[in-house]
Amino acid sequence: MTETGGTVYIETYGCQMNVSDTELMLGNLTSSGYTSVSAPDFADVILINTCAIRDHAEQRVIGRLGEMKSRMKKGAVVGVTGCMAQRLGAKLMERAGHVSVVVGPDGYRDLPSLIENARRGERGMSIEFDSEEHYEDFAPRRFDGVKAWIPVQRGCDYRCTYCIVPSTRGPERSRNLADVVREAERVVADGIHEIVLLGQTVNSYNDGTHDFADLLRAVGAVPGIRRLRFTSPHPNDFSDRVIAAMAETEAVCEHVHLPMQSGSSRVLKRMLRRYSREGYFECADRLRAALPGVALTTDIIVGFPGETEEDFQETLTAVDAMEFEEAYTFKFSPREGTPATRFPESEMVSDEVASERLARLIGRVRAASRTRNLGLLGQRREVLVEKPARRGGMLQTRSRDFKTVMIAGDHSLIGKYLTVELTGTTGSTFIGTVQHQREALPMAV
Ligand code: 5AD
Ligand code: SF4
C-alpha cells in the first residue's frame, strides 16, 4: 500500500459531524500510507469535505475549488467528499474538470482505491448509502488535543421540511454501545478527558438494546472522563430516562444545545418539527428542573416560507423567555428537493425581509446575553483550557456551562482544568482571572 502513498490535505466545512468524518478519513488514509499535510499547495491529494445545509456553504466550496485549481501542484488528485458530494454526485465532476473523486458520507471506505484510480487518470464516485456503515475499523486521527468528538449515530430519520440532511446522510443508524465505550476508553488513554457524542438527533440513539440514557451512563462511567457533552439533540427525544441519566451522570455538563428553529407553533408545524412553542418550552423547563444552572444554546431559522411578522415576533418573545446562552441564527435557504421548496411562491419571504428579521434577532440575542453576562461577573467557574485565543495572546477556555472565558497564561496550561473568576465580559465572552490550578486527571491505565 505504501508505494501508493503521498501527501494528503483535507479541508473541512460544515458541522462537527463533518469534522469527525475528516478525522476518520485521515486516520484511514494515513494507515493506507498517506501523510497528512496542512496546506494544499504541494499535496498529492486534496480533499474538500463539504456541507450542503445552506446555499452559502456550497458557494464557499465552489469558490474554494476554483482557487485549488490554480494552487494545486501538477498531477494532484482533487476530491470532493461529504454532503455536497452526496447531493450533486456526478454533476460536480461535470462542472469542475479538475475534480476526479466524489465520495458521499457513507463511501469513505472506498477513498484509498478511488484515489489510486484517479492517480491513473480514472475518475470515480461512491455515493451509495450504507445503513450499516460506522467506520468501526477506522482509527480517527484527532486534531483537537483536549476534547474528542465521538460519532454515535449517523443519518437522520426526521423529515424537517427545510433540511437536506436526510438526503445527504441517509437513514438513521446507531453504533453499538460497547464500540462507543471502547472508543471513549481509548480517548482517555490518549490523555483526553472531555468527550462530545455526535449524532444528527443524538438523543434518539438506539442500538437495538440500549437507548441514549444507557449510553450517557456507560460513557460517563468510563474512568477518567471528566466532561461529557452531546450534539445535537431533538427536543422530542428527551425522555424522562434521558433527562434522569443526564442529571445522575456527574460528567454530563450543564449545557444543552436545543435547536428551536422558530418560536411560532404555526411555523414549527410547517417545518414539521413535531413540537409546538409550548412543547419546546416544556422541554426546556424539564431540563432546567433536572439540571440546575443548565445553559441552553439554540439554532433559529428566519424567513421560512409563510413566516409573518407575527410569527417572527413569537420567535423574539421565545428568545426573551428562554434566555439562551447563545443562538446560532440563519436565513432560510431553499434546498433543492426538500418539501419547503414546494410551498407556493406567494409565501416565500423576500431576502430583504429575511435579512432585516435576522438583524433584529441577532440584536435581541446579543442584548440579552450582554445583560445576563454582566450579572454573572464575580462568579467562579471551573474551566478547561482549550487553545490559544485568536487575539491578545490570551488562552481560550470553556466552562461546563459552555461559557467562553479568556485568560492570561502560557501554552503549557492547555488541557488543564483551572478555577477562574469571571472579571469582565465583551458581551458574549468573558475575561477571567485564575484562582487556583488543578492538574488534569492523570492518564488512565
Ligand atoms: N436554511 C437555513 N438554515 C438551515 N438549517 C438547516 N437547514 C437549513 C436551511 N435550509 C439550520 C438549522 C439547523 C442548523 C444546523 O442549520 O437551524 O439546526
Ligand atoms: Fe453537517 Fe448538515 Fe452540513 Fe452535512 S449538511 S455537513 S450534516 S451541517
Side-chain angles (χ1 to χ4, degrees):
M1 267 286 191
T2 27
E3 66 179 282
T4 61
T7 51
V8 57
Y9 167 76
I10 309 189
E11 192 162 292
T12 312
Y13 293 82
C15 62
Q16 284 316 322
M17 190 60 92
N18 251 23
V19 174
S20 163
D21 279 356
T22 292
E23 294 180 340
L24 284 168
M25 280 190 261
L26 263 183
N28 185 240
L29 288 171
T30 48
S31 63
S32 302
Y34 288 90
T35 310
S36 144
V37 291
S38 55
D41 307 66
F42 303 105
D44 298 309
V45 181
I46 298 171
L47 299 176
I48 315 273
N49 193 13
T50 61
C51 172
I53 200 120
R54 284 171 289 273
D55 186 55
H56 177 71
E58 292 200 350
Q59 293 310 325
R60 277 177 67 206
V61 167
I62 288 171
R64 193 62 178 145
L65 273 173
E67 261 174 57
M68 290 299 175
K69 199 170 174 178
S70 50
R71 278 182 74 172
M72 66 197 242
K73 77 171 189 189
K74 198 163 174 289
V77 168
V78 177
V80 179
T81 63
C83 291
M84 196 175 158
Q86 186 71 37
R87 193 178 89 74
L88 295 173
K91 283 190 207 146
L92 269 169
M93 289 201 269
E94 285 160 25
R95 285 184 208 165
H98 59 307
V99 171
S100 52
V101 174
V102 172
V103 184
D106 282 351
Y108 300 144
R109 197 168 287 285
D110 298 332
L111 257 180
S113 62
L114 287 171
I115 292 171
E116 286 323 306
N117 295 345
R119 287 178 129 180
R120 290 195 302 267
E122 211 182 293
R123 300 167 102 190
M125 194 164 77
S126 173
I127 53 167
E128 295 300 308
F129 287 134
D130 177 351
S131 58
E132 305 281 304
E133 187 58 276
H134 285 292
Y135 303 111
E136 215 53 76
D137 52 326
F138 286 28
R141 197 179 150 142
R142 300 183 196 283
F143 284 97
D144 192 314
V146 301
K147 63 177 173 306
W149 315 99
I150 301 189
V152 301
Q153 176 199 57
R154 298 182 72 86
C156 182
D157 278 349
Y158 278 89
R159 288 285 176 273
C160 304
T161 53
Y162 50 79
C163 191
I164 193 77
V165 173
S167 64
T168 62
R169 287 192 168 268
E172 175 183 325
R173 70 217 87 139
S174 294
R175 260 175 103 177
N176 282 333
L177 178 137
D179 292 328
V180 178
V181 169
R182 209 169 303 127
E183 186 167 352
E185 286 165 350
R186 273 199 301 266
V187 159
V188 174
D190 287 342
I192 299 180
H193 307 279
E194 175 165 332
I195 282 178
V196 189
L197 305 176
L198 295 179
Q200 236 63 52
T201 54
V202 68
N203 52 341
S204 69
Y205 171 93
N206 194 313
D207 73 353
T209 316
H210 309 98
D211 67 0
F212 192 61
D214 297 323
L215 185 72
L216 285 177
R217 290 185 196 274
V219 176
V222 169
I225 300 287
R226 184 147 169 176
R227 288 183 173 187
L228 180 55
R229 303 181 190 272
F230 53 87
T231 199
S232 286
H234 189 286
N236 289 12
D237 292 308
F238 275 114
S239 61
D240 289 341
R241 271 176 61 80
V242 167
I243 293 184
M246 290 169 69
E248 289 161 22
T249 306
E250 210 182 317
V252 171
C253 290
E254 294 74 26
H255 166 231
V256 178
H257 182 66
L258 192 67
M260 178 174 80
Q261 312 301 0
S262 169
S264 151
S265 293
R266 207 180 66 87
V267 173
L268 288 167
K269 192 159 188 184
R270 293 163 66 96
M271 289 176 162
L272 198 62
R273 284 295 285 173
R274 304 162 202 252
Y275 54 82
S276 61
R277 172 188 175 96
E278 293 70 33
Y280 181 89
F281 284 7
E282 196 194 310
C283 177
D285 287 347
R286 287 166 62 229
L287 287 166
R288 287 192 160 125
L291 291 115
V294 68
L296 298 183
T297 54
T298 200
D299 291 340
I300 299 172
I301 298 175
V302 300
F304 187 76
E307 183 189 68
T308 62
E309 175 61 26
E310 290 70 47
D311 292 319
F312 177 64
Q313 287 297 331
E314 293 213 61
T315 295
L316 292 180
T317 56
V319 164
D320 294 343
M322 284 294 100
E323 298 188 11
F324 294 117
E325 184 70 31
E326 177 73 85
Y328 303 93
T329 52
F330 311 102
K331 264 194 287 184
F332 169 68
S333 169
R335 309 310 292 134
E336 199 186 330
T338 56
T341 57
R342 296 196 282 275
F343 286 114
E345 187 62 33
S346 59
E347 293 191 345
M348 297 300 158
V349 176
S350 72
D351 189 57
E352 202 184 352
V353 170
S355 299
E356 187 272 331
R357 286 182 190 162
L358 185 68
R360 265 193 286 163
L361 176 60
I362 293 172
R364 193 82 151 232
V365 170
R366 285 210 184 128
S369 96
R370 191 180 162 72
T371 312
R372 193 186 47 250
N373 288 352
L374 281 169
L376 294 177
L377 296 185
Q379 290 195 5
R380 290 183 178 197
R381 288 289 184 282
E382 180 201 79
V383 295
L384 167 61
V385 185
E386 291 188 332
K387 57 187 173 192
R390 283 209 203 106
R391 54 174 188 88
M394 309 276 279
L395 296 171
Q396 182 176 312
T397 77
R398 178 96 45 200
S399 68
R400 283 174 61 102
D401 58 352
F402 208 63
K403 290 171 177 32
T404 308
V405 187
M406 306 298 177
I407 62 164
D410 62 73
H411 290 190
S412 65
L413 291 176
I414 292 172
K416 299 241 156 66
Y417 289 86
L418 312 171
T419 300
V420 300
E421 182 179 322
L422 306 176
T423 49
T425 176
T426 59
S428 56
T429 62
F430 289 92
I431 307 290
T433 48
V434 179
Q435 301 300 295
H436 56 84
Q437 183 177 327
R438 263 190 278 154
E439 282 300 307
L441 290 181
M443 267 182 28
V445 227

